[in-house]
Amino acid sequence: MMVLITYDVETITSGGKKRLRRVAKECQNYGQRVQNSVFECVVTESQFVLLRNEIASIIDMEKDTVRFYFLGNNWNNRVEFFGRKTSFDVTTELII
């Protein structure tokens, strides 16, 4: 399933900046960045549970916000964009 993850992490303190980097790194483990604080992740239900729990353990519940938008398995018909394409096809294998 495709999950769109958006987050807003307070970065006034060095701890906030560290949380921001950790959330971004965790999201990057499962998908691709499409905006500064927006990731597209194609995950199984069990992978999503792991990702959600890890992010929940990183953020400060009083200062930060994370939103998950579930686009489902038929997400190709629900995503439209304009402008420069800087992303890769998340359904293909990626060799790093």
Side-chain angles (χ1 to χ4, degrees), residues 22-33:
R22 289 182 62 205
V23 169
K25 185 175 181 181
E26 193 61 36
C27 289
Q28 219 165 10
N29 288 337
Y30 290 89
Q32 68 175 329
R33 183 187 302 259

Side-chain angles (χ1 to χ4, degrees), residues 28 31 88-96:
Q28 219 165 10
F88 57 89
D89 184 356
V90 295
T91 61
T92 61
E93 291 187 24
L94 178 64
I95 300 173
I96 298 178

Side-chain angles (χ1 to χ4, degrees), residues 26 30 46-59 61 68:
E26 193 61 36
Y30 290 89
S46 60
Q47 288 173 322
F48 173 71
V49 169
L50 292 172
L51 173 60
R52 183 189 62 205
N53 291 342
E54 185 60 32
I55 291 173
S57 73
I58 295 170
I59 68 166
M61 296 290 187
F68 302 96

Side-chain angles (χ1 to χ4, degrees), residues 28-78:
Q28 219 165 10
N29 288 337
Y30 290 89
Q32 68 175 329
R33 183 187 302 259
V34 293
Q35 296 281 322
N36 283 340
S37 296
V38 180
F39 280 82
E40 292 176 343
C41 301
V42 176
V43 293
T44 64
E45 288 184 35
S46 60
Q47 288 173 322
F48 173 71
V49 169
L50 292 172
L51 173 60
R52 183 189 62 205
N53 291 342
E54 185 60 32
I55 291 173
S57 73
I58 295 170
I59 68 166
D60 182 327
M61 296 290 187
E62 300 295 319
K63 299 177 182 175
D64 307 329
T65 304
V66 179
R67 291 179 177 261
F68 302 96
Y69 298 92
F70 301 95
L71 301 180
N73 291 324
N74 203 10
W75 60 271
N76 284 340
N77 298 328
R78 297 181 184 142

